[in-house]
Amino acid sequence: MAALTGDQLIREVAMAALTGDALQQAEDEFTDAFNQNRVVLAGFAKCESALDLACVRDGFHLGMARALRLDTYKPVEAHIVRDIAVGAAAAAGLDIFPVSVAAARRAPGWKAMVGEVMQQAALVGSDLVGIWKGLAVGRLEWLTATSTTHGLKTTLREALKMDAAAGGGGEILTGDESDAKMVWMYTMASQLPPCRDTAKAWQSAVNIADPLQPLEGYRAELWDARRTEWAPLDVAVQAAAERAGTSLDEAWVM
């Protein structure tokens, strides 16, 4: 049997402390609190930086402590209510979420509150750290890839508009857009860690020398979505978009 890590041991000891109806009640209360705060957690999909993500994470911890009615939440709440910056933001009609989170972090009882949230999670076998890590890593990887490939995407989209205007109709043909999007998707895949193997397979298939310069030596006849190497890349990039809380179609028009 493999040795337990420190976190696993703490979780097993915590779960052993409750049994039967008491454990079921704790699980139900935690699930209800989690569901109440799903909308907060979903805010990760709008984050544009690691700082934004940290704000959403801590806002989620704050919401969980409130929903679970933890004693450690009360002093943090009192600190938020008394915080001058929170009052000023509210009076000015600004978004008070980030200001309230910042105030909560300054509260003397902040660390104790977060610790109790984690204890409650361990009690019912919920891996909040792992859940958040998956969301944050997926989002940051996506942001890095979209930033790196933004110039290429802009070039492709401008070329589509120019071709449409030259054609007289002004409308971008679906086939042309699909071809351009393929190029961008490949380059995205080359920058996303979970997609790099599929990107390398496509790179070899269509003879790309530089992943960030896929238009150099571009041969349209090779870029055929029916090739066996394309489907795995397509699926992988779609999955990466979902992990980041977005979609390829949404990212393409941004």
Side-chain angles (χ1 to χ4, degrees), residues 12 36-38 53 124 127 136 153 157 167 169 193 201 218 225 227 232 240-241 252:
E12 290 203 1
Q36 288 181 45
N37 285 279
R38 282 185 182 276
L53 284 164
V124 299
D127 183 13
K153 184 180 69 173
R157 287 174 54 80
Y218 177 82
R227 297 186 67 143
W252 172 247

Side-chain angles (χ1 to χ4, degrees), residues 20-202:
D21 292 343
L23 178 58
Q24 185 61 58
Q25 181 179 349
E27 290 175 344
D28 290 345
E29 290 176 352
F30 190 88
T31 299
D32 182 57
F34 191 95
N35 287 336
Q36 288 181 45
N37 285 279
R38 282 185 182 276
V39 65
V40 178
L41 200 60
F44 91 100
K46 302 299 181 183
C47 292
E48 296 296 329
S49 69
L51 288 176
D52 290 345
L53 284 164
C55 182
V56 170
R57 177 201 62 203
D58 291 346
F60 175 73
H61 290 156
L62 190 63
M64 286 293 292
R66 179 175 59 248
L68 289 167
R69 300 182 296 279
L70 302 182
D71 288 339
T72 50
Y73 171 72
K74 296 175 183 177
V76 176
E77 179 185 36
H79 185 87
I80 295 172
V81 171
R82 295 193 302 268
D83 193 273
I84 296 175
V86 175
L94 302 176
D95 180 8
I96 65 170
F97 178 79
V99 185
S100 296
V101 170
R105 290 168 175 160
R106 293 192 292 270
W110 170 252
K111 289 184 178 180
M113 187 206 76
V114 173
E116 190 173 7
V117 170
M118 292 305 177
Q119 288 174 4
Q120 292 295 312
L123 194 66
V124 299
S126 177
D127 183 13
L128 285 187
V129 173
I131 291 171
W132 178 253
K133 182 178 180 181
L135 295 176
V137 169
R139 184 65 184 171
L140 287 173
E141 288 178 347
W142 184 261
L143 289 173
T144 298
T146 54
S147 176
T148 302
T149 62
H150 183 73
L152 172 66
K153 184 180 69 173
T154 300
T155 297
L156 292 168
R157 287 174 54 80
E158 287 300 318
L160 288 172
K161 293 176 183 177
M162 291 176 63
D163 288 347
E171 292 187 8
I172 297 173
L173 299 179
T174 301
D176 290 345
E177 185 168 34
S178 295
D179 290 344
K181 199 171 179 181
M182 275 185 74
V183 175
W184 171 69
M185 286 173 63
Y186 155 72
T187 308
M188 283 287 292
S190 74
Q191 302 304 304
L192 291 162
C195 306
R196 281 178 181 158
D197 287 344
T198 61
K200 288 179 180 177
W202 185 255

Side-chain angles (χ1 to χ4, degrees), residues 195-221:
C195 306
R196 281 178 181 158
D197 287 344
T198 61
K200 288 179 180 177
W202 185 255
Q203 180 178 351
S204 297
V206 298
N207 301 320
I208 299 171
D210 182 351
L212 293 178
Q213 300 292 335
L215 296 177
E216 290 185 2
Y218 177 82
R219 293 171 58 189
E221 68 274 13

